[in-house]
Amino acid sequence: MTIFSANYPVTFPIGDNLVGSMFGDLAFGSPDLVFDTPEKRAAAANLPVWKRQLIIKHLRVPYHTYNRGLSMIARFHMPVDGGLPNLGVAGGMLGESGCGKTVICETYASMHPPFDGETGVEMPVVLMSASVGISRRRIGDRIRRTTDASYRILTREDPGDWSVDRLLKLKTQLFILDESQFLFFDQRTSHVAQEMYGLVKDIADTGMISIFLVGHPSIDEFVCGIDAFRRREYRSETLKPLSSSPEDLALFGDLLTSIDRRLPFRESSQLQKYRDHFHLYSGGQIGFVMNVVRSAAYLALNDRAACILVHHLREAVSTMVKPSDDTNYFGYKKAQRS
């Protein structure tokens, strides 16, 4: 079976997207998938290894920054509780790489899945990621894949017009553009960047779809200088990593505990013991924490270990440290010498 997670398909070897066992109707990527009792930990450890791998890969942790990001998007999309979507406006959620923006966007999109409406499939929220050198045609192709359109864009069609018509047909209320700094910066020519701005403006000009730009803080430098965005009530908020203040370190420790409770192992990995190492390596950015945790968890699965052990963390981080970084995270340097 194939389901669509963000912008790429995830194929499950057997069964469906549910975890199974004693976890009811919880799916991979559910933040409610918690192994907080010995019985649940034992059941998780006895799942097929491919299910345990997918639990780790798609792990979602509600924590301070995650909850704040979801609230940002929700307030922009539905500013009045029980009211109507705010259409035809532009906004942004900014932050440095690794602060968890993509996971937040994926989660929000999953909370508003496609459904069968009166005139066909409707997708109230569409999430698409930009990339270096993106063009109108590539945007059209990505929208086609993301929205599961059954035909390709013909050469004679304008991909911009097709994209706008496709979103209108799906009755999309909110179009989330992740990594949207690539729309306006790092383009081959200023003409291409102008085309990207024109496409975004065309979507907002329908008055039926709102645009939410997600990416690097430099987006504000571009957008705030354009009256067309300001007239569309453009506003943005910035997600910041958890700092080294006592309050933020306490929150960071709680985050590690929350991650630990969602790892499909028989025993706790006690990640909070390594709080200072995780924070030093990640700078408080959840994305970099999860890079190490996932790699270490896969090593633990291969070892058939009861949990992630310190030598798994050392092996994982040793392949990720920048050449110029001399910090001895988790004591990996001493382990390499011995």
Side-chain angles (χ1 to χ4, degrees):
M1 174 184 178
T2 299
I3 66 167
F4 284 85
S5 173
N7 297 315
Y8 58 92
V10 179
T11 303
F12 297 99
I14 57 175
D16 57 15
N17 64 321
L18 301 182
V19 177
S21 185
M22 66 186 296
F23 305 108
D25 60 355
L26 292 178
F28 301 105
S30 169
D32 297 323
L33 191 60
V34 179
F35 313 118
D36 53 0
T37 66
E39 294 76 17
K40 288 182 179 179
R41 282 203 172 276
N46 287 326
L47 288 169
V49 69
W50 67 266
K51 285 194 173 186
R52 296 173 72 192
Q53 180 182 352
L54 286 174
I55 289 170
I56 294 165
K57 181 177 178 63
H58 299 287
L59 190 148
R60 299 288 183 266
V61 186
Y63 72 107
H64 174 75
T65 306
Y66 175 93
N67 293 333
R68 182 165 173 252
L70 283 179
S71 295
M72 285 182 190
I73 305 178
R75 285 195 307 271
F76 178 77
H77 181 202
M78 303 288 290
V80 178
D81 291 339
L84 301 172
N86 196 19
L87 303 177
V89 296
M93 181 172 70
L94 313 178
E96 298 290 339
S97 175
C99 70
K101 302 184 300 297
T102 296
V103 169
I104 291 166
C105 293
E106 290 174 355
T107 301
Y108 192 79
S110 72
M111 294 164 62
H112 299 81
F115 63 91
D116 290 326
E118 293 181 0
T119 59
V121 175
E122 297 183 18
M123 293 185 71
V125 176
V126 171
L127 166 62
M128 193 205 81
S129 181
S131 60
V132 176
I134 195 85
S135 64
R136 287 169 72 93
R137 184 170 186 83
R138 287 177 65 188
I139 285 181
D141 285 336
R142 289 190 183 186
I143 289 176
R144 178 184 63 82
R145 291 197 303 269
T146 301
T147 62
D148 204 21
S150 58
Y151 61 93
R152 300 183 64 182
I153 303 171
L154 301 177
T155 304
R156 65 177 178 273
E157 285 190 87
D158 181 274
D161 291 344
W162 184 93
S163 300
V164 175
D165 290 345
R166 177 65 178 162
L167 295 175
L168 288 172
K169 182 178 180 180
L170 293 167
K171 297 186 179 179
T172 298
Q173 304 163 2
L174 179 63
F175 185 39
I176 303 175
L177 275 164
D178 194 15
E179 302 287 5
S180 53
Q181 69 272 8
F182 293 127
L183 296 175
F184 314 118
F185 305 107
D186 298 322
Q187 288 287 2
R188 295 183 302 277
T189 66
S190 59
H191 174 71
V192 176
Q194 198 170 26
E195 278 191 340
M196 294 300 96
Y197 159 68
L199 178 57
V200 171
K201 182 176 180 296
D202 287 346
I203 293 172
D205 280 349
T206 65
M208 301 297 293
I209 306 167
S210 287
I211 301 286
F212 198 65
L213 304 175
V214 179
H216 192 270
S218 59
I219 291 169
D220 262 1
E221 300 172 15
F222 180 87
V223 172
C224 288
I226 298 176
D227 287 340
F229 278 114
R230 296 177 64 189
R231 287 196 299 270
R232 285 167 180 79
E233 306 175 35
Y234 178 79
R235 82 297 305 263
S236 68
E237 295 184 68
T238 301
L239 290 177
K240 296 182 179 180
L242 294 171
S243 71
S244 56
S245 70
E247 296 80 10
D248 276 8
L249 282 177
L251 291 172
F252 191 77
D254 292 342
L255 165 62
L256 293 172
T257 298
S258 294
I259 292 172
D260 201 349
R261 294 170 67 229
R262 289 168 170 80
L263 292 172
F265 291 102
R266 190 175 300 277
E267 297 176 7
S268 167
S269 299
Q270 301 184 54
L271 298 181
Q272 191 176 23
K273 288 197 314 183
Y274 311 105
R275 183 195 71 179
D276 293 347
H277 287 274
F278 271 113
H279 191 274
L280 196 60
Y281 173 75
S282 68
Q285 307 273 50
I286 178 66
F288 299 118
V289 172
M290 290 308 304
N291 288 345
V292 175
V293 169
R294 286 194 190 96
S295 181
Y298 295 155
L299 292 169
L301 285 181
N302 287 335
D303 286 348
R304 294 178 172 80
C307 63
I308 295 174
L309 300 172
V310 67
H311 70 84
H312 297 133
L313 294 170
R314 289 169 177 166
E315 185 175 346
V317 81
S318 69
T319 63
M320 300 178 183
V321 176
K322 294 179 180 179
S324 59
D325 189 345
D326 198 42
T327 309
N328 190 21
Y329 304 110
F330 309 106
Y332 84 94
K333 290 187 174 183
K334 181 179 179 181
Q336 286 181 329
R337 288 195 295 268
S338 61

